[in-house]
């Protein structure tokens, strides 16, 4: 089949799997709010009528265990709408494709565009991007980089954000980078993309384990670390002191409270941590509290900055975080919002407000996804990697056919066609909940 | 069993049912966004070890059809946490009971406190209130009215709202009304609670049907009407003219756009409708857009006011709507937030900001629920019904064992023990989806 023919494939059926990794056994991923996550994937495969070679679109949404079955249930409700649709029909108008999920006149009641139905939308839309990228034999980032500004903008639903950015304005912003895209692309192919690690900072780890992990990470080239805070102030101070002791004043330290504080509590608690010069405090309070983040940012200025995003439900809340000058760092999550389409809208708004995008990663599959998004942000939108870093956590990559490849503490550009999210068939089977081999043995 | 013994019942099992009414056949409930809802209930029954008489707690969340199965799936995940708990244990610390649902360290990833998981929480928490009220043989409103200010406040989770209201401040607010509660209670027992109707204004109805329904509603005592707008401006103007023609300048007209507009679009569209003197425009844009509502309110002042609430996901967004002076009317929904507990928090914040609460109702079961909430608001929190009205829609009440009773366009105070939400067993069976009698016949 030629590329052209591959775009004419038709989606014939889907498979949804509830995949769970029992990470809570080792307190990987533990923080002040999420004390025992079982990193999980609500996973979908779209199958097509293509044979020899077959063509499949894989997508997933990350969750923390319980609740994964609810997201799977919702993915099925959305996936059925894609049966018998041709890939060409879907990708020739991605704005409408996005609305197949977000505009369902009955389903929107259980959102709209938030929580379970939006997490499910993220999995489904990303699976379409994976299918599209495989059909044209490019990684997703390259598929987007090769679009004209008009094609890029045609992927975005501007509903509810036109008071901040219009399609015309977005096209103008993207045109500025068109002459430089080839140069930026060759930069990332040579140098990769800067990253930081959270692997060392989980709240449930012992001091000795943290010290050892920091040394290992430094040996791998990482110079930016993130520490979880918010459960026990004395322990936070001790841990911060330990980290500064390990890598001195020059390394960059961030802190992450995972939403445990009320507004005034965040301001008060941080007073004892400011001496350790954190670059930012992440998720100091409810992700829904735009005005609360703005108040915290104002109170802590200029001693530290404010970051959030992994729990920001959609472009409308991001829009307000920018409008209210509530954050200094925009931490998009690849599957909490409605997939690549909505991410493109958020990248453009962040650029307009001059807020650097530091994607959330970790969990399972998030590193694989977000590397594409940072490359798009750099090559198409901002033209710089200065003052930016992409989160990296060293967990569960072995389950993916094309896992991220790190070099000297930087992400290398993924080259395989698709969105890098396809899991090995053995992993899908063994970790399926509750009947996969791993769960039967527990 | 005595009241005291009934509080010692233990929850032994639960039943979750996906109940759907095929309302889309007649365009009941049609508006600019929801063109064909099938009014549905994600329904739960908690059974206890009480025998002769048995004691059950019923709860539900309203949805528009598709998606109801996803909410049911999530309700099961929450309900299982209540098995083997005694009612006394649950109601002696309702703040902790609320956190059984909202504080699950894994489930909160798929919210937190929004969308499907929060709709499911509403059903579950409300079922506990129904069980509690039945155990003490009072309607839910009377159960709350008979609480001390301290007991009332103990039901509320103040997480993320202490920058606006603290437990101590809430107790002070409630104490003001304590000497007057008996008087207020006898007022509502005699006079009921003021209401308005949306039954006449659905966007899919013909002009003739609207005219007939208005005449019928006026004959029943209604003087406040709501019109759906936002799909076709010329039709909106014609419909507004027709309504004004029917009941003149003195009647109160409201308009409801059900989130169809962007911010500037809302401001522009309303220019042609302001001559009909709407009291407010409801849901002019995304329910997530606090700052957008504030901008619309400012632009339309003083010609009309702004209302929203049925899609406001939790107390954190309500808090910001108040802080940003974004709304003039607070339209709580009885099951979108986490049941009675979270509603109490919102009533207190509304009181603090002097914003009248006009609950959202209609759908199925919402009128039955919200009558209790307006009585609590009047008797415990505000001490007035002036400038307030509770929505009423004349649909599907026949399926409830204790349906709302309207008299002269006003709600009468419900007297049966519980939360008025228990459906008739025949209705539960016949409308169960997809295998109930009604659905097999279609």
């Amino acid at each position: 089949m030629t590329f052209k023919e591959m775009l004419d494939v038709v989606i014939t059926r889907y498979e949804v799997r509830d995949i769970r990794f029992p990470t809570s056994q080792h307190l990987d991923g533990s923080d002040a709010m999420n004390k025992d996550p079982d990193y999980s994937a609500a996973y979908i495969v779209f199958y097509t009528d293509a044979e020899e070679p077959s063509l499949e679109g894989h997508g997933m949404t990350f969750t923390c265990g319980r609740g994964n079955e609810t997201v799977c249930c919702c993915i099925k409700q959305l996936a059925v709408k894609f049966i018998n649709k041709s890939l060409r029909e879907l990708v020739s108008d991605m704005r409408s494709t996005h609305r197949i999920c977000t505009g369902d006149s009955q389903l929107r009641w259980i959102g709209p565009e938030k929580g379970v139905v939006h997490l499910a939308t993220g999995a489904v839309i990303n699976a379409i991007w994976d299918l599209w990228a495989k059909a044209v034999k490019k990684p997703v980032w390259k598929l987007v980089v090769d679009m004209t500004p008009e094609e890029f903008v045609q992927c975005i639903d501007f509903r509810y954000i036109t008071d901040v950015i219009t399609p015309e304005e977005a096209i103008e912003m993207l045109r500025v980078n068109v002459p430089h895209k080839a140069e930026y692309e060759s930069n990332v192919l040579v140098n990769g993309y800067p990253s930081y690690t959270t692997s060392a900072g989980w709240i449930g780890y012992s001091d000795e384990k943290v010290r050892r992990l920091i040394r290992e990470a430094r040996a791998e080239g990482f110079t930016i670390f993130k520490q979880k805070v918010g459960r026990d102030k004395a322990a936070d101070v001790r841990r911060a002191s330990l980290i500064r002791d390990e890598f001195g004043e020059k390394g960059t330290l961030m802190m992450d409270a995972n939403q445990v504080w009320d507004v005034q509590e965040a301001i008060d608690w941080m007073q004892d941590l400011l001496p350790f010069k954190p670059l930012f405090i992440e998720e100091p309070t409810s992700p829904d509290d735009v005005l609360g983040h703005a108040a915290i940012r104002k109170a802590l200025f200029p001693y530290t900055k404010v970051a959030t995003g992994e729990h920001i439900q959609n472009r409308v809340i991001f829009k307000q975080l920018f409008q209210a000058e509530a954050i200094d760092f925009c931490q998009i999550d690849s599957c909490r919002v409605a997939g690549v389409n909505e991410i493109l809208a958020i990248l453009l708004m962040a650029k307009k407000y001059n807020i650097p995008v530091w994607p959330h990663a970790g969990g399972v599959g998030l590193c694989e996804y977000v590397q594409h998004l940072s490359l798009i942000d750099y090559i198409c939108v901002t033209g710089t990697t200065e003052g930016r870093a992409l989160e990296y956590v060293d967990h569960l990559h072995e389950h993916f056919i094309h896992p991220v490849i790190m070099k000297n503490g930087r992400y290398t550009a993924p080259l395989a066609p698709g969105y890098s999210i396809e899991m090995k068939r053995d992993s899908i089977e063994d970790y399926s909940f509750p009947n996969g081999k791993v769960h039967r043995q527990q």
Side-chain angles (χ1 to χ4, degrees), chain A:
Chain A
M1 279 180 147
T2 65
F3 290 178
K4 198 170 170 185
E5 286 165 345
M6 289 192 94
L7 279 178
D8 287 315
V9 298
V10 169
I11 292 173
T12 51
R13 65 188 175 91
Y14 65 86
E15 175 190 11
V16 175
R17 300 296 283 263
D18 179 347
I19 299 168
R20 305 194 193 190
F21 301 93
T23 46
S24 60
Q25 293 171 6
H26 304 288
L27 298 181
D28 299 338
S30 59
D31 60 48
M33 190 65 92
N34 309 291
K35 64 184 181 356
D36 54 356
D38 287 319
Y39 284 170
S40 301
Y43 196 92
I44 178 169
V45 188
F46 281 122
Y47 294 95
T48 66
D49 58 357
E51 293 170 11
E52 300 176 37
S54 67
L55 188 64
E56 302 167 3
H58 291 241
M60 55 153 275
T61 276
F62 166 69
T63 82
C64 286
R66 285 185 296 280
N68 206 50
E69 70 297 312
T70 299
V71 180
C72 286
C73 176
C74 196
I75 289 176
K76 291 174 191 168
Q77 303 305 315
L78 295 171
V80 70
K81 297 162 162 278
F82 288 78
I83 301 301
N84 292 328
K85 292 204 188 294
S86 81
L87 180 58
R88 185 182 300 280
E89 174 190 349
L90 293 169
V91 304
S92 65
D93 183 2
M94 278 300 261
R95 191 179 293 170
S96 299
T97 297
H98 168 259
R99 285 216 183 172
I100 291 173
C101 297
T102 62
D104 181 294
S105 66
Q106 295 191 347
L107 270 175
R108 78 184 300 287
W109 186 269
I110 66 168
E113 301 188 58
K114 61 178 64 75
V116 169
V117 70
H118 219 45
L119 287 160
T121 296
V124 169
I125 296 282
N126 284 339
I128 298 298
W129 280 91
D130 184 63
L131 184 62
W132 186 7
K134 285 173 177 165
V136 298
K137 296 196 165 49
K138 294 179 183 178
V140 159
W141 67 269
K142 177 67 172 157
L143 167 62
V144 176
V145 162
D146 288 347
M147 288 178 179
T148 64
E150 290 77 8
E151 289 167 338
F152 185 114
V153 165
Q154 177 56 36
C155 295
I156 298 171
D157 186 352
F158 285 84
R159 175 169 254 184
Y160 300 141
I161 58 172
T162 55
D163 50 333
V164 153
I165 192 163
T166 61
E168 298 70 30
E169 192 180 357
I171 288 170
E172 286 306 312
M173 284 168 61
L174 292 167
R175 279 191 184 145
V176 172
N177 288 311
V178 170
H180 311 289
K181 287 204 291 191
E183 174 199 338
Y184 299 155
E185 187 177 329
S186 73
N187 278 351
V188 295
L189 289 170
V190 175
N191 301 316
Y193 196 92
S195 81
Y196 73 89
T197 183
T198 309
S199 294
W202 302 116
I203 219 162
Y205 285 178
S206 69
D207 286 358
E208 293 66 39
K209 185 167 182 177
V210 170
R211 205 179 279 274
R212 175 173 60 77
L213 289 172
I214 288 176
R215 289 179 186 174
E216 288 174 11
R218 290 191 71 193
E220 287 166 28
F222 289 102
T223 58
I224 311 178
F225 294 87
K226 193 160 77 184
Q227 172 191 2
K228 298 289 182 175
V229 299
R231 195 187 288 172
D232 172 338
K233 204 195 284 183
D236 291 348
V237 169
R238 195 184 69 242
R239 180 72 57 90
S241 175
L242 181 160
I243 295 173
R244 277 282 171 223
D245 184 49
E246 276 299 317
F247 70 81
E249 287 294 311
K250 280 192 183 160
T252 300
L253 171 65
M254 291 95 75
M255 295 178 178
D256 184 357
N258 292 87
Q259 316 167 23
V260 289
W261 299 316
D262 282 18
V263 174
Q264 190 57 46
E265 195 180 6
I267 295 166
D268 294 342
W269 192 297
M270 284 305 294
Q271 301 309 315
D272 289 343
L273 297 176
L274 292 178
F276 301 98
K277 298 184 181 162
L279 174 63
F280 61 66
I281 175 64
E282 177 175 338
E283 288 203 309
T285 190
S286 164
D288 306 337
D289 199 350
V290 171
L291 300 179
H293 278 83
I296 293 165
R297 180 173 180 266
K298 197 170 169 192
L300 298 180
F301 183 84
Y303 303 104
T304 193
K305 296 178 175 179
V306 172
T308 194
E310 71 187 59
H311 266 281
I312 300 301
Q313 63 201 34
N314 57 36
R315 68 196 176 284
V316 181
I317 303 288
F318 272 114
K319 178 184 77 168
Q320 294 174 85
L321 287 168
F322 299 138
Q323 288 175 307
E325 300 182 0
I327 57 171
D328 300 285
F329 297 88
C330 170
Q331 300 177 306
I332 52 168
D333 181 281
S334 49
C335 39
R336 183 165 294 280
V337 301
V340 176
N341 301 39
E342 191 165 8
I343 291 286
L344 298 182
I346 297 163
L347 297 182
L348 289 168
M349 290 192 291
K351 162 70 178 169
K352 175 161 178 176
Y353 283 88
N354 205 22
I355 301 295
V357 172
W358 290 48
H360 168 242
V364 57
L366 299 181
C367 298
E368 277 68 22
Y369 267 148
V370 293
Q371 54 184 343
H372 294 264
L373 303 174
S374 280
L375 296 187
I376 294 167
D377 187 41
Y378 166 49
I379 300 170
C380 299
V381 182
T382 66
T384 182
T385 62
E386 275 293 303
R388 286 158 172 81
L390 206 175
E391 187 166 17
Y392 175 72
V393 183
D394 188 15
H395 285 157
L396 304 173
H397 301 292
E398 65 275 21
H399 300 290
F400 294 88
I401 292 177
H402 299 291
V404 295
I405 300 170
M406 302 299 292
K407 203 181 281 181
N408 300 324
R410 297 169 76 93
Y411 278 83
T412 62
L415 300 177
Y419 204 175
S420 308
I421 207 66
E422 185 171 343
M423 271 191 207
K424 294 174 182 169
R425 184 41 68 170
D426 281 353
S427 295
I428 292 174
E429 298 299 338
D430 292 352
Y431 290 89
S432 277
F433 185 84
N435 295 319
K437 193 167 72 181
V438 171
H439 298 290
R440 287 200 315 273
Q441 287 167 350
Q442 292 199 321

